[in-house]
Amino acid sequence: MKIADTYKKAKNNGLVLSNMTLMEHEQVVFCQDSETGLKAIIAIHNTTLGPALGGTRMWNYDNEYDALNDVLRLSRGMSLKAAISGLDLGGGKAVIIGDSNTQKTEVLMRKFGQYVESLGGKYITAEDVGMNTKDMEYVRMETKHVTGIPESMGGSGDPSPFTAFGVYMGMKASAKYKWGNDSLEGRTVVVQGVGHVGENLVRHLSEEKANIIINDIDDRRLDALSEDYAVRIVRGDSIFDLDMDIYAPCALGATVNPDTLNRLKCKIIAGAANNQLADEVRDSQTCSDKGIVYAPDFLINAGGLINVYSEIKGYDRESSMNQTREIYNTTLEILKKAELDSITTHVAALEIAEQRIKNRKSS
Ligand code: NAD
């Protein structure tokens, strides 16, 4: 299906492709291969600061429009994330449509790698939901434009511990701003999604003696974590009605929306998921009106990107950790800027990121 047809059909079906148009993106590529069953979309949002880097997500989307919507939003988020983190990277993202548990094969991943290669380095891929370092090894067999490859192959390995550390830094900075003290000891934190990032975040929170509640749709993950950490399990969407200090979305996007905001009693939202706000403008404003400190997702979940960027430059784990630790100071600055300028925290972060891209364009 041509992209224009997909877009038209999405509109006809009443699906709004978030609050952006396709025209914001430099290039969107549909990949289809009947032999391997590969169906993927690669979106390149902006390459002003450098090549578009962003992970590949494999998800069993209900339809192609949902996949397109997701990849467009995610790739834009990557441009903002790189810009606000001071990295010379553009924003891109890829989605593979399918069940990562049953449909992921070596040939499928290698075919996907060939599509990445065909873009000549304009897009660089990495891991995201539904992917692991082994999958990146297969992609690496077809293209060098991949990061987050195993340490044994000279790469930086799994970016998730860095992402989780950055989220933890952003969460502590938000606590400092809200309560004047960044200790999370005794604070009730609900972590929704305890996958790669969520588990690492739980480790940090547990070391700090936070009161941790975990939630996941995968019972195996809940069981595994409850064996290793002192956590309480709450299943389903009743988590939004719990008494909590901090809500940490670490699963998928759009969980901060009018329904959940009506129910949430937290004082801080700080998590790893991309595009947490269903509608950026509306939902960040509601957070602000309700006195909830929203730590912008693209700012605090940049640790993994910082780490894979280091892989391109010549990997240095220590310097990646130090740069990720800086998320604490940047978060505090942005929360203060939002208060000073009477704007939402999301808009404050957006302004800084967009300004950096504009400055580069005009230089
Ligand atoms: P993951 O696939 O390892 O973990 C996601 C977890 O969320 C899984 O355990 C899954 O079962 C669970 N989940 C899915 N839908 C859910 C739902 N409706 N309710 C509760 N749990 C649900 O992914 P990850 O690498 O940990 O990434 C988590 C989020 O952080 C994603 O949104 C990802 O885009 C974002 N992110 C990840 C990185 C990274 O370095 N991995 C970097 C930046 C952003």
Side-chain angles (χ1 to χ4, degrees), residues 55-58 96 100-101 104-106 109 112 125-140 146-150 153 157-160 196:
T56 298
R57 170 173 296 192
M58 186 160 184
I96 298 178
S100 63
N101 290 319
K104 203 167 54 176
T105 58
E106 176 179 343
M109 291 314 302
F112 174 71
T125 197
E127 267 183 55
D128 194 61
V129 176
M131 289 289 134
N132 57 45
T133 38
K134 185 78 195 159
D135 301 321
M136 291 302 115
E137 274 183 50
Y138 293 139
V139 176
R140 182 75 178 84
V146 50
T147 54
I149 52 173
M153 290 174 76
D158 179 9
S160 309
H196 289 92

PDB file of all heavy atoms in Angstrom, residues 55-58 96 100-101 104-106 109 112 125-140 146-150 153 157-160 196:
ATOM      1  N   GLY A  55      15.598   3.000  17.665  1.00  0.00           N
ATOM      2  CA  GLY A  55      15.443   1.555  17.732  1.00  0.00           C
ATOM      3  C   GLY A  55      14.362   0.998  16.813  1.00  0.00           C
ATOM      4  O   GLY A  55      13.575   1.726  16.216  1.00  0.00           O
ATOM      5  N   THR A  56      14.386  -0.318  16.732  1.00  0.00           N
ATOM      6  CA  THR A  56      13.359  -1.049  15.989  1.00  0.00           C
ATOM      7  C   THR A  56      12.442  -1.725  17.000  1.00  0.00           C
ATOM      8  O   THR A  56      12.904  -2.408  17.901  1.00  0.00           O
ATOM      9  CB  THR A  56      14.015  -2.126  15.100  1.00  0.00           C
ATOM     10  OG1 THR A  56      14.854  -1.459  14.155  1.00  0.00           O
ATOM     11  CG2 THR A  56      12.971  -2.940  14.373  1.00  0.00           C
ATOM     12  N   ARG A  57      11.155  -1.502  16.834  1.00  0.00           N
ATOM     13  CA  ARG A  57      10.158  -2.095  17.724  1.00  0.00           C
ATOM     14  C   ARG A  57       9.412  -3.182  16.970  1.00  0.00           C
ATOM     15  O   ARG A  57       8.996  -2.970  15.828  1.00  0.00           O
ATOM     16  CB  ARG A  57       9.180  -1.004  18.168  1.00  0.00           C
ATOM     17  CG  ARG A  57       7.965  -1.511  18.899  1.00  0.00           C
ATOM     18  CD  ARG A  57       7.149  -0.364  19.447  1.00  0.00           C
ATOM     19  NE  ARG A  57       7.894   0.378  20.455  1.00  0.00           N
ATOM     20  CZ  ARG A  57       7.348   1.290  21.266  1.00  0.00           C
ATOM     21  NH1 ARG A  57       6.074   1.589  21.146  1.00  0.00           N
ATOM     22  NH2 ARG A  57       8.072   1.924  22.161  1.00  0.00           N
ATOM     23  N   MET A  58       9.250  -4.348  17.574  1.00  0.00           N
ATOM     24  CA  MET A  58       8.397  -5.365  16.952  1.00  0.00           C
ATOM     25  C   MET A  58       7.158  -5.513  17.819  1.00  0.00           C
ATOM     26  O   MET A  58       7.247  -5.790  19.020  1.00  0.00           O
ATOM     27  CB  MET A  58       9.118  -6.706  16.828  1.00  0.00           C
ATOM     28  CG  MET A  58       8.286  -7.720  16.043  1.00  0.00           C
ATOM     29  SD  MET A  58       9.301  -9.051  15.385  1.00  0.00           S
ATOM     30  CE  MET A  58       8.092  -9.965  14.441  1.00  0.00           C
ATOM     31  N   ILE A  96       8.474  -3.201  13.188  1.00  0.00           N
ATOM     32  CA  ILE A  96       8.201  -4.436  12.453  1.00  0.00           C
ATOM     33  C   ILE A  96       6.843  -4.918  12.948  1.00  0.00           C
ATOM     34  O   ILE A  96       6.610  -5.008  14.166  1.00  0.00           O
ATOM     35  CB  ILE A  96       9.284  -5.509  12.720  1.00  0.00           C
ATOM     36  CG1 ILE A  96      10.654  -5.004  12.231  1.00  0.00           C
ATOM     37  CG2 ILE A  96       8.915  -6.820  12.034  1.00  0.00           C
ATOM     38  CD1 ILE A  96      11.813  -5.972  12.482  1.00  0.00           C
ATOM     39  N   SER A 100       6.611 -10.731  18.316  1.00  0.00           N
ATOM     40  CA  SER A 100       8.053 -10.986  18.494  1.00  0.00           C
ATOM     41  C   SER A 100       8.312 -12.358  19.122  1.00  0.00           C
ATOM     42  O   SER A 100       9.405 -12.892  19.026  1.00  0.00           O
ATOM     43  CB  SER A 100       8.688  -9.881  19.340  1.00  0.00           C
ATOM     44  OG  SER A 100       8.121  -9.889  20.623  1.00  0.00           O
ATOM     45  N   ASN A 101       7.303 -12.921  19.781  1.00  0.00           N
ATOM     46  CA  ASN A 101       7.508 -14.243  20.399  1.00  0.00           C
ATOM     47  C   ASN A 101       7.408 -15.375  19.391  1.00  0.00           C
ATOM     48  O   ASN A 101       8.041 -16.416  19.538  1.00  0.00           O
ATOM     49  CB  ASN A 101       6.465 -14.482  21.506  1.00  0.00           C
ATOM     50  CG  ASN A 101       6.735 -13.592  22.694  1.00  0.00           C
ATOM     51  OD1 ASN A 101       7.879 -13.407  23.095  1.00  0.00           O
ATOM     52  ND2 ASN A 101       5.681 -13.008  23.243  1.00  0.00           N
ATOM     53  N   LYS A 104       9.416 -13.874  14.932  1.00  0.00           N
ATOM     54  CA  LYS A 104      10.771 -13.334  14.732  1.00  0.00           C
ATOM     55  C   LYS A 104      11.739 -14.460  14.369  1.00  0.00           C
ATOM     56  O   LYS A 104      11.839 -15.438  15.103  1.00  0.00           O
ATOM     57  CB  LYS A 104      11.224 -12.639  16.022  1.00  0.00           C
ATOM     58  CG  LYS A 104      12.285 -11.619  15.818  1.00  0.00           C
ATOM     59  CD  LYS A 104      12.461 -10.768  17.051  1.00  0.00           C
ATOM     60  CE  LYS A 104      12.718 -11.557  18.295  1.00  0.00           C
ATOM     61  NZ  LYS A 104      12.975 -10.739  19.464  1.00  0.00           N
ATOM     62  N   THR A 105      12.362 -14.308  13.218  1.00  0.00           N
ATOM     63  CA  THR A 105      13.313 -15.335  12.781  1.00  0.00           C
ATOM     64  C   THR A 105      14.603 -14.650  12.328  1.00  0.00           C
ATOM     65  O   THR A 105      14.623 -13.436  12.091  1.00  0.00           O
ATOM     66  CB  THR A 105      12.760 -16.122  11.581  1.00  0.00           C
ATOM     67  OG1 THR A 105      12.489 -15.171  10.533  1.00  0.00           O
ATOM     68  CG2 THR A 105      11.497 -16.899  11.928  1.00  0.00           C
ATOM     69  N   GLU A 106      15.640 -15.453  12.142  1.00  0.00           N
ATOM     70  CA  GLU A 106      16.909 -14.899  11.667  1.00  0.00           C
ATOM     71  C   GLU A 106      16.729 -14.294  10.277  1.00  0.00           C
ATOM     72  O   GLU A 106      17.194 -13.181  10.015  1.00  0.00           O
ATOM     73  CB  GLU A 106      17.984 -15.998  11.627  1.00  0.00           C
ATOM     74  CG  GLU A 106      19.295 -15.478  11.047  1.00  0.00           C
ATOM     75  CD  GLU A 106      20.415 -16.510  11.003  1.00  0.00           C
ATOM     76  OE1 GLU A 106      20.321 -17.531  11.700  1.00  0.00           O
ATOM     77  OE2 GLU A 106      21.390 -16.263  10.253  1.00  0.00           O
ATOM     78  N   MET A 109      14.956 -10.938  10.418  1.00  0.00           N
ATOM     79  CA  MET A 109      15.799  -9.852  10.931  1.00  0.00           C
ATOM     80  C   MET A 109      16.869  -9.463   9.913  1.00  0.00           C
ATOM     81  O   MET A 109      17.201  -8.289   9.766  1.00  0.00           O
ATOM     82  CB  MET A 109      16.459 -10.255  12.262  1.00  0.00           C
ATOM     83  CG  MET A 109      15.521 -10.388  13.454  1.00  0.00           C
ATOM     84  SD  MET A 109      14.341  -9.033  13.635  1.00  0.00           S
ATOM     85  CE  MET A 109      15.382  -7.613  13.770  1.00  0.00           C
ATOM     86  N   PHE A 112      15.317  -7.380   7.248  1.00  0.00           N
ATOM     87  CA  PHE A 112      15.144  -6.025   7.757  1.00  0.00           C
ATOM     88  C   PHE A 112      16.476  -5.270   7.692  1.00  0.00           C
ATOM     89  O   PHE A 112      16.515  -4.096   7.287  1.00  0.00           O
ATOM     90  CB  PHE A 112      14.604  -6.066   9.197  1.00  0.00           C
ATOM     91  CG  PHE A 112      14.527  -4.719   9.837  1.00  0.00           C
ATOM     92  CD1 PHE A 112      13.569  -3.793   9.432  1.00  0.00           C
ATOM     93  CD2 PHE A 112      15.434  -4.341  10.822  1.00  0.00           C
ATOM     94  CE1 PHE A 112      13.516  -2.525   9.993  1.00  0.00           C
ATOM     95  CE2 PHE A 112      15.390  -3.084  11.393  1.00  0.00           C
ATOM     96  CZ  PHE A 112      14.426  -2.174  10.969  1.00  0.00           C
ATOM     97  N   THR A 125      19.887   1.850  13.181  1.00  0.00           N
ATOM     98  CA  THR A 125      18.924   1.189  14.052  1.00  0.00           C
ATOM     99  C   THR A 125      19.548   0.714  15.367  1.00  0.00           C
ATOM    100  O   THR A 125      20.758   0.789  15.573  1.00  0.00           O
ATOM    101  CB  THR A 125      18.220   0.031  13.305  1.00  0.00           C
ATOM    102  OG1 THR A 125      17.045  -0.316  14.023  1.00  0.00           O
ATOM    103  CG2 THR A 125      19.116  -1.193  13.145  1.00  0.00           C
ATOM    104  N   ALA A 126      18.675   0.255  16.271  1.00  0.00           N
ATOM    105  CA  ALA A 126      19.086  -0.247  17.594  1.00  0.00           C
ATOM    106  C   ALA A 126      17.922  -1.074  18.141  1.00  0.00           C
ATOM    107  O   ALA A 126      16.925  -1.270  17.462  1.00  0.00           O
ATOM    108  CB  ALA A 126      19.398   0.924  18.523  1.00  0.00           C
ATOM    109  N   GLU A 127      18.058  -1.507  19.390  1.00  0.00           N
ATOM    110  CA  GLU A 127      16.996  -2.304  20.021  1.00  0.00           C
ATOM    111  C   GLU A 127      15.826  -1.446  20.494  1.00  0.00           C
ATOM    112  O   GLU A 127      16.033  -0.311  20.886  1.00  0.00           O
ATOM    113  CB  GLU A 127      17.541  -2.931  21.304  1.00  0.00           C
ATOM    114  CG  GLU A 127      18.094  -4.295  21.185  1.00  0.00           C
ATOM    115  CD  GLU A 127      18.529  -4.819  22.552  1.00  0.00           C
ATOM    116  OE1 GLU A 127      17.726  -4.830  23.484  1.00  0.00           O
ATOM    117  OE2 GLU A 127      19.695  -5.219  22.652  1.00  0.00           O
ATOM    118  N   ASP A 128      14.652  -2.007  20.486  1.00  0.00           N
ATOM    119  CA  ASP A 128      13.520  -1.398  21.184  1.00  0.00           C
ATOM    120  C   ASP A 128      12.620  -2.551  21.638  1.00  0.00           C
ATOM    121  O   ASP A 128      13.053  -3.715  21.640  1.00  0.00           O
ATOM    122  CB  ASP A 128      12.776  -0.388  20.297  1.00  0.00           C
ATOM    123  CG  ASP A 128      11.817   0.492  21.093  1.00  0.00           C
ATOM    124  OD1 ASP A 128      12.273   1.222  21.980  1.00  0.00           O
ATOM    125  OD2 ASP A 128      10.595   0.439  20.850  1.00  0.00           O
ATOM    126  N   VAL A 129      11.391  -2.246  21.979  1.00  0.00           N
ATOM    127  CA  VAL A 129      10.472  -3.260  22.488  1.00  0.00           C
ATOM    128  C   VAL A 129      10.397  -4.454  21.513  1.00  0.00           C
ATOM    129  O   VAL A 129      10.273  -4.267  20.306  1.00  0.00           O
ATOM    130  CB  VAL A 129       9.052  -2.660  22.680  1.00  0.00           C
ATOM    131  CG1 VAL A 129       8.051  -3.726  23.118  1.00  0.00           C
ATOM    132  CG2 VAL A 129       9.105  -1.535  23.694  1.00  0.00           C
ATOM    133  N   GLY A 130      10.494  -5.652  22.063  1.00  0.00           N
ATOM    134  CA  GLY A 130      10.373  -6.861  21.239  1.00  0.00           C
ATOM    135  C   GLY A 130      11.680  -7.273  20.579  1.00  0.00           C
ATOM    136  O   GLY A 130      11.703  -8.225  19.795  1.00  0.00           O
ATOM    137  N   MET A 131      12.762  -6.551  20.875  1.00  0.00           N
ATOM    138  CA  MET A 131      14.069  -6.857  20.262  1.00  0.00           C
ATOM    139  C   MET A 131      15.074  -7.198  21.351  1.00  0.00           C
ATOM    140  O   MET A 131      14.939  -6.753  22.488  1.00  0.00           O
ATOM    141  CB  MET A 131      14.616  -5.620  19.531  1.00  0.00           C
ATOM    142  CG  MET A 131      13.891  -5.264  18.272  1.00  0.00           C
ATOM    143  SD  MET A 131      14.257  -6.469  16.996  1.00  0.00           S
ATOM    144  CE  MET A 131      12.625  -6.754  16.384  1.00  0.00           C
ATOM    145  N   ASN A 132      16.103  -7.945  20.971  1.00  0.00           N
ATOM    146  CA  ASN A 132      17.200  -8.182  21.905  1.00  0.00           C
ATOM    147  C   ASN A 132      18.532  -8.111  21.159  1.00  0.00           C
ATOM    148  O   ASN A 132      18.544  -7.934  19.932  1.00  0.00           O
ATOM    149  CB  ASN A 132      17.028  -9.520  22.641  1.00  0.00           C
ATOM    150  CG  ASN A 132      16.915 -10.681  21.656  1.00  0.00           C
ATOM    151  OD1 ASN A 132      17.680 -10.771  20.700  1.00  0.00           O
ATOM    152  ND2 ASN A 132      15.946 -11.550  21.881  1.00  0.00           N
ATOM    153  N   THR A 133      19.630  -8.232  21.897  1.00  0.00           N
ATOM    154  CA  THR A 133      20.945  -8.045  21.270  1.00  0.00           C
ATOM    155  C   THR A 133      21.217  -9.104  20.198  1.00  0.00           C
ATOM    156  O   THR A 133      21.913  -8.841  19.221  1.00  0.00           O
ATOM    157  CB  THR A 133      22.076  -8.059  22.326  1.00  0.00           C
ATOM    158  OG1 THR A 133      21.760  -9.028  23.299  1.00  0.00           O
ATOM    159  CG2 THR A 133      22.237  -6.733  22.994  1.00  0.00           C
ATOM    160  N   LYS A 134      20.645 -10.290  20.363  1.00  0.00           N
ATOM    161  CA  LYS A 134      20.824 -11.351  19.356  1.00  0.00           C
ATOM    162  C   LYS A 134      20.218 -10.894  18.019  1.00  0.00           C
ATOM    163  O   LYS A 134      20.805 -11.105  16.949  1.00  0.00           O
ATOM    164  CB  LYS A 134      20.135 -12.635  19.865  1.00  0.00           C
ATOM    165  CG  LYS A 134      20.332 -13.836  18.985  1.00  0.00           C
ATOM    166  CD  LYS A 134      21.723 -14.436  19.210  1.00  0.00           C
ATOM    167  CE  LYS A 134      22.084 -15.414  18.102  1.00  0.00           C
ATOM    168  NZ  LYS A 134      23.523 -15.623  17.985  1.00  0.00           N
ATOM    169  N   ASP A 135      19.051 -10.273  18.110  1.00  0.00           N
ATOM    170  CA  ASP A 135      18.391  -9.782  16.877  1.00  0.00           C
ATOM    171  C   ASP A 135      19.280  -8.749  16.187  1.00  0.00           C
ATOM    172  O   ASP A 135      19.381  -8.718  14.963  1.00  0.00           O
ATOM    173  CB  ASP A 135      17.035  -9.141  17.203  1.00  0.00           C
ATOM    174  CG  ASP A 135      16.106 -10.120  17.884  1.00  0.00           C
ATOM    175  OD1 ASP A 135      16.121 -11.296  17.489  1.00  0.00           O
ATOM    176  OD2 ASP A 135      15.396  -9.715  18.817  1.00  0.00           O
ATOM    177  N   MET A 136      19.911  -7.907  17.009  1.00  0.00           N
ATOM    178  CA  MET A 136      20.784  -6.878  16.433  1.00  0.00           C
ATOM    179  C   MET A 136      22.003  -7.513  15.764  1.00  0.00           C
ATOM    180  O   MET A 136      22.526  -6.999  14.777  1.00  0.00           O
ATOM    181  CB  MET A 136      21.224  -5.877  17.518  1.00  0.00           C
ATOM    182  CG  MET A 136      20.108  -4.995  18.028  1.00  0.00           C
ATOM    183  SD  MET A 136      19.315  -4.029  16.703  1.00  0.00           S
ATOM    184  CE  MET A 136      17.668  -4.716  16.708  1.00  0.00           C
ATOM    185  N   GLU A 137      22.424  -8.662  16.277  1.00  0.00           N
ATOM    186  CA  GLU A 137      23.535  -9.389  15.631  1.00  0.00           C
ATOM    187  C   GLU A 137      23.128  -9.802  14.218  1.00  0.00           C
ATOM    188  O   GLU A 137      23.914  -9.692  13.280  1.00  0.00           O
ATOM    189  CB  GLU A 137      23.869 -10.657  16.420  1.00  0.00           C
ATOM    190  CG  GLU A 137      24.821 -10.460  17.547  1.00  0.00           C
ATOM    191  CD  GLU A 137      25.144 -11.787  18.236  1.00  0.00           C
ATOM    192  OE1 GLU A 137      25.490 -12.762  17.552  1.00  0.00           O
ATOM    193  OE2 GLU A 137      25.019 -11.829  19.470  1.00  0.00           O
ATOM    194  N   TYR A 138      21.886 -10.270  14.064  1.00  0.00           N
ATOM    195  CA  TYR A 138      21.407 -10.673  12.732  1.00  0.00           C
ATOM    196  C   TYR A 138      21.349  -9.461  11.790  1.00  0.00           C
ATOM    197  O   TYR A 138      21.752  -9.534  10.635  1.00  0.00           O
ATOM    198  CB  TYR A 138      20.015 -11.320  12.815  1.00  0.00           C
ATOM    199  CG  TYR A 138      19.998 -12.642  13.540  1.00  0.00           C
ATOM    200  CD1 TYR A 138      18.967 -12.953  14.431  1.00  0.00           C
ATOM    201  CD2 TYR A 138      21.010 -13.579  13.341  1.00  0.00           C
ATOM    202  CE1 TYR A 138      18.958 -14.176  15.110  1.00  0.00           C
ATOM    203  CE2 TYR A 138      20.999 -14.800  14.021  1.00  0.00           C
ATOM    204  CZ  TYR A 138      19.969 -15.094  14.896  1.00  0.00           C
ATOM    205  OH  TYR A 138      19.949 -16.288  15.562  1.00  0.00           O
ATOM    206  N   VAL A 139      20.854  -8.346  12.316  1.00  0.00           N
ATOM    207  CA  VAL A 139      20.771  -7.127  11.503  1.00  0.00           C
ATOM    208  C   VAL A 139      22.188  -6.702  11.097  1.00  0.00           C
ATOM    209  O   VAL A 139      22.434  -6.332   9.947  1.00  0.00           O
ATOM    210  CB  VAL A 139      20.056  -5.989  12.287  1.00  0.00           C
ATOM    211  CG1 VAL A 139      20.054  -4.682  11.494  1.00  0.00           C
ATOM    212  CG2 VAL A 139      18.617  -6.387  12.620  1.00  0.00           C
ATOM    213  N   ARG A 140      23.112  -6.847  12.041  1.00  0.00           N
ATOM    214  CA  ARG A 140      24.515  -6.454  11.818  1.00  0.00           C
ATOM    215  C   ARG A 140      25.165  -7.264  10.690  1.00  0.00           C
ATOM    216  O   ARG A 140      26.116  -6.809  10.061  1.00  0.00           O
ATOM    217  CB  ARG A 140      25.284  -6.637  13.130  1.00  0.00           C
ATOM    218  CG  ARG A 140      26.747  -6.241  13.100  1.00  0.00           C
ATOM    219  CD  ARG A 140      26.890  -4.725  13.106  1.00  0.00           C
ATOM    220  NE  ARG A 140      28.274  -4.285  13.134  1.00  0.00           N
ATOM    221  CZ  ARG A 140      29.048  -4.159  12.058  1.00  0.00           C
ATOM    222  NH1 ARG A 140      28.560  -4.452  10.882  1.00  0.00           N
ATOM    223  NH2 ARG A 140      30.292  -3.756  12.171  1.00  0.00           N
ATOM    224  N   VAL A 146      23.982  -0.169  12.595  1.00  0.00           N
ATOM    225  CA  VAL A 146      23.239  -0.669  13.744  1.00  0.00           C
ATOM    226  C   VAL A 146      24.079  -0.457  14.999  1.00  0.00           C
ATOM    227  O   VAL A 146      25.298  -0.624  14.975  1.00  0.00           O
ATOM    228  CB  VAL A 146      22.849  -2.162  13.540  1.00  0.00           C
ATOM    229  CG1 VAL A 146      24.028  -3.009  13.118  1.00  0.00           C
ATOM    230  CG2 VAL A 146      22.225  -2.753  14.777  1.00  0.00           C
ATOM    231  N   THR A 147      23.416  -0.063  16.081  1.00  0.00           N
ATOM    232  CA  THR A 147      24.122   0.150  17.356  1.00  0.00           C
ATOM    233  C   THR A 147      23.489  -0.747  18.413  1.00  0.00           C
ATOM    234  O   THR A 147      22.460  -1.376  18.170  1.00  0.00           O
ATOM    235  CB  THR A 147      24.000   1.610  17.823  1.00  0.00           C
ATOM    236  OG1 THR A 147      22.610   1.923  17.857  1.00  0.00           O
ATOM    237  CG2 THR A 147      24.722   2.562  16.921  1.00  0.00           C
ATOM    238  N   GLY A 148      24.102  -0.769  19.582  1.00  0.00           N
ATOM    239  CA  GLY A 148      23.574  -1.612  20.654  1.00  0.00           C
ATOM    240  C   GLY A 148      23.880  -3.077  20.395  1.00  0.00           C
ATOM    241  O   GLY A 148      23.156  -3.956  20.846  1.00  0.00           O
ATOM    242  N   ILE A 149      24.947  -3.330  19.623  1.00  0.00           N
ATOM    243  CA  ILE A 149      25.328  -4.723  19.382  1.00  0.00           C
ATOM    244  C   ILE A 149      26.077  -5.247  20.616  1.00  0.00           C
ATOM    245  O   ILE A 149      26.531  -4.463  21.443  1.00  0.00           O
ATOM    246  CB  ILE A 149      26.176  -4.876  18.086  1.00  0.00           C
ATOM    247  CG1 ILE A 149      27.354  -3.905  18.079  1.00  0.00           C
ATOM    248  CG2 ILE A 149      25.326  -4.717  16.849  1.00  0.00           C
ATOM    249  CD1 ILE A 149      28.307  -4.133  16.932  1.00  0.00           C
ATOM    250  N   PRO A 150      26.185  -6.588  20.759  1.00  0.00           N
ATOM    251  CA  PRO A 150      26.786  -7.134  21.982  1.00  0.00           C
ATOM    252  C   PRO A 150      28.203  -6.618  22.233  1.00  0.00           C
ATOM    253  O   PRO A 150      28.942  -6.320  21.289  1.00  0.00           O
ATOM    254  CB  PRO A 150      26.816  -8.641  21.706  1.00  0.00           C
ATOM    255  CG  PRO A 150      25.790  -8.867  20.670  1.00  0.00           C
ATOM    256  CD  PRO A 150      25.737  -7.642  19.842  1.00  0.00           C
ATOM    257  N   MET A 153      31.058  -8.132  20.484  1.00  0.00           N
ATOM    258  CA  MET A 153      31.314  -7.739  19.091  1.00  0.00           C
ATOM    259  C   MET A 153      31.828  -6.296  19.018  1.00  0.00           C
ATOM    260  O   MET A 153      31.789  -5.657  17.973  1.00  0.00           O
ATOM    261  CB  MET A 153      30.025  -7.863  18.255  1.00  0.00           C
ATOM    262  CG  MET A 153      29.581  -9.309  18.021  1.00  0.00           C
ATOM    263  SD  MET A 153      27.972  -9.403  17.199  1.00  0.00           S
ATOM    264  CE  MET A 153      28.400  -8.996  15.509  1.00  0.00           C
ATOM    265  N   GLY A 157      26.356  -3.075  23.939  1.00  0.00           N
ATOM    266  CA  GLY A 157      25.419  -4.007  24.584  1.00  0.00           C
ATOM    267  C   GLY A 157      24.042  -3.416  24.798  1.00  0.00           C
ATOM    268  O   GLY A 157      23.644  -2.471  24.124  1.00  0.00           O
ATOM    269  N   ASP A 158      23.353  -3.992  25.746  1.00  0.00           N
ATOM    270  CA  ASP A 158      21.976  -3.593  26.035  1.00  0.00           C
ATOM    271  C   ASP A 158      21.915  -2.156  26.578  1.00  0.00           C
ATOM    272  O   ASP A 158      22.528  -1.856  27.603  1.00  0.00           O
ATOM    273  CB  ASP A 158      21.420  -4.589  27.067  1.00  0.00           C
ATOM    274  CG  ASP A 158      20.002  -4.266  27.468  1.00  0.00           C
ATOM    275  OD1 ASP A 158      19.383  -3.385  26.848  1.00  0.00           O
ATOM    276  OD2 ASP A 158      19.506  -4.903  28.422  1.00  0.00           O
ATOM    277  N   PRO A 159      21.165  -1.255  25.904  1.00  0.00           N
ATOM    278  CA  PRO A 159      21.108   0.135  26.381  1.00  0.00           C
ATOM    279  C   PRO A 159      20.191   0.327  27.594  1.00  0.00           C
ATOM    280  O   PRO A 159      20.239   1.370  28.252  1.00  0.00           O
ATOM    281  CB  PRO A 159      20.531   0.890  25.170  1.00  0.00           C
ATOM    282  CG  PRO A 159      19.739  -0.131  24.411  1.00  0.00           C
ATOM    283  CD  PRO A 159      20.397  -1.455  24.665  1.00  0.00           C
ATOM    284  N   SER A 160      19.394  -0.695  27.908  1.00  0.00           N
ATOM    285  CA  SER A 160      18.344  -0.517  28.934  1.00  0.00           C
ATOM    286  C   SER A 160      18.863  -0.079  30.309  1.00  0.00           C
ATOM    287  O   SER A 160      18.229   0.777  30.943  1.00  0.00           O
ATOM    288  CB  SER A 160      17.532  -1.796  29.101  1.00  0.00           C
ATOM    289  OG  SER A 160      17.089  -2.245  27.870  1.00  0.00           O
ATOM    290  N   HIS A 196      12.955  -4.809  30.130  1.00  0.00           N
ATOM    291  CA  HIS A 196      14.375  -4.472  30.227  1.00  0.00           C
ATOM    292  C   HIS A 196      14.615  -3.233  31.094  1.00  0.00           C
ATOM    293  O   HIS A 196      15.432  -3.240  32.002  1.00  0.00           O
ATOM    294  CB  HIS A 196      14.949  -4.213  28.828  1.00  0.00           C
ATOM    295  CG  HIS A 196      15.082  -5.458  28.008  1.00  0.00           C
ATOM    296  ND1 HIS A 196      14.092  -5.898  27.163  1.00  0.00           N
ATOM    297  CD2 HIS A 196      16.084  -6.343  27.907  1.00  0.00           C
ATOM    298  CE1 HIS A 196      14.487  -7.003  26.578  1.00  0.00           C
ATOM    299  NE2 HIS A 196      15.691  -7.304  27.004  1.00  0.00           N
TER     300      HIS A 196
END
